[in-house]
Amino acid sequence: MRYEHTVKGRFLERPNRFIAYVDVNGQSVICHVKNTGRCRELLTSGCTVVLEFHPHAREMGRKTEFDLIAVYKGNLLINMDSQAPNRAALEWMENLSQKEPNDNALRMLQPFDPSGSIWLPCKIRREVVHKDSRFDLAFMLENQQTGALKPAFMEIKGVTLEENGIVRFPDAPTERGVKHLQGLSEAVAEGFEAFVLFVIQMEGVREFRPNDETHKAFGDALRAGARAGLHILAYDCEVEEASMKIRREVKISLS
């Protein structure tokens, strides 16, 4: 996924969850923050941030010309656009549906199959309601040997909290996230394949862990889901100032 127009600036302050002030070429501009999480460890005074500029903001009915989309944490560029993980994940899934069956990434999307058959995603849909849950993606997994189909759901979570190469989710309590995991676990019991994909919005981390210190209920729901057959995936991303794409599998530790 790509952004059309980007500029760099110096972060000044964030008076509330939705806006920030950034110095761009000596001028203080107001920005929409595309992540309502706390992000206190990222948005520190004077840090370098990346903004998406909307040249036709007035015609679009926008209140601001800029969105804050990424931040430099030292030399590490972290995308903090909360909409980016879903866009990147959809592109990734659509690309997987076109890849050759021997692609290593496809192994992460296989339902349990002792025969070792390859299953590819197809018929991908966004924002699908199932009972009292709304999942980010719904799709079919097609067996490339037999043509058999399995219905599947996927929920996507963006990860920006990093310390010493270890990333955690969530960075704030999320009852909505717990409900998503419970809904996915229920879908597994009904015969669906179900996935939660943690899109790590940076490159080169060592390990993903649930953030039990911040919200143990989410970690407990994730571990319960794993026992119930929920597939848990974590991938880092290749992040540039004007783009982000899913890159490589990251080790998961649920303990």
Side-chain angles (χ1 to χ4, degrees):
M1 56 145 289
R2 296 193 60 83
Y3 301 99
E4 289 298 320
H5 308 281
T6 58
V7 297
K8 289 202 292 190
R10 182 171 61 87
F11 175 76
L12 299 175
E13 62 174 326
R14 185 184 186 184
N16 60 50
R17 291 187 303 158
F18 305 103
I19 65 169
Y21 292 96
V22 174
D23 182 303
V24 178
N25 297 325
Q27 179 183 357
S28 177
V29 301
I30 188 170
C31 308
H32 170 58
V33 181
K34 298 190 73 174
N35 187 323
T36 57
R38 294 173 180 172
C39 303
R40 292 170 183 164
E41 77 288 351
L42 297 179
L43 296 178
T44 59
S45 180
C47 70
T48 299
V49 294
V50 181
L51 312 179
E52 181 180 23
F53 174 58
H54 298 276
H56 305 294
R58 185 170 298 178
E59 295 91 323
M60 297 165 61
R62 288 179 53 97
K63 295 181 179 179
T64 65
E65 291 183 319
F66 297 92
D67 288 329
L68 198 162
I69 57 171
V71 57
Y72 278 92
K73 184 182 179 184
N75 294 323
L76 178 64
L77 179 59
I78 300 175
N79 181 295
M80 54 176 290
D81 176 357
S82 60
Q83 297 173 4
N86 284 50
R87 292 171 60 190
L90 179 61
E91 289 181 2
W92 182 67
M93 289 287 287
E94 289 174 340
N95 287 338
L96 285 180
S97 69
Q98 304 299 322
K99 295 213 176 198
E100 294 297 323
N102 63 358
D103 190 309
N104 289 334
L106 295 175
R107 292 186 307 208
M108 297 300 296
L109 283 176
Q110 305 314 305
F112 179 74
D113 187 339
S115 72
S117 296
I118 297 296
W119 299 71
L120 297 180
C122 61
K123 301 180 180 179
I124 303 167
R125 296 174 292 146
R126 299 176 61 189
E127 298 290 334
V128 175
V129 174
H130 178 71
K131 293 189 173 179
D132 63 346
S133 295
R134 181 187 296 272
F135 298 124
D136 290 321
L137 296 178
F139 51 96
M140 303 297 293
L141 286 167
E142 183 177 11
N143 187 305
Q144 300 302 288
Q145 284 69 41
T146 67
L149 296 172
K150 287 191 175 185
F153 296 115
M154 177 179 283
E155 189 64 23
I156 300 155
K157 304 296 182 187
V159 183
T160 61
L161 181 62
E162 180 271 344
E163 185 176 8
N164 298 323
I166 296 174
V167 292
R168 293 178 172 84
F169 183 92
D171 65 354
T174 171
E175 296 300 333
R176 183 169 175 266
V178 172
K179 182 177 181 295
H180 283 151
L181 294 179
Q182 292 170 342
L184 288 170
S185 295
E186 291 170 4
V188 171
E190 296 165 13
F192 293 86
E193 296 295 331
F195 302 81
V196 57
L197 170 62
F198 291 97
V199 177
I200 300 162
Q201 294 171 252
M202 66 198 82
E203 186 173 333
V205 301
R206 294 186 287 111
E207 187 173 296
F208 166 84
R209 300 176 186 174
N211 193 353
D212 288 328
E213 291 184 5
T214 296
H215 196 190
K216 189 172 183 298
F218 183 88
D220 289 342
L222 191 62
R223 287 181 282 269
R227 293 192 295 270
L230 172 64
H231 304 289
I232 302 171
L233 313 177
Y235 275 75
D236 74 356
C237 290
E238 178 183 309
V239 178
E240 297 180 356
E241 292 181 0
S243 66
M244 186 180 89
K245 66 179 180 180
I246 290 178
R247 188 181 79 113
R248 184 177 298 172
E249 176 189 358
V250 170
K251 176 185 175 183
I252 297 171
S253 176
L254 297 182
S255 58

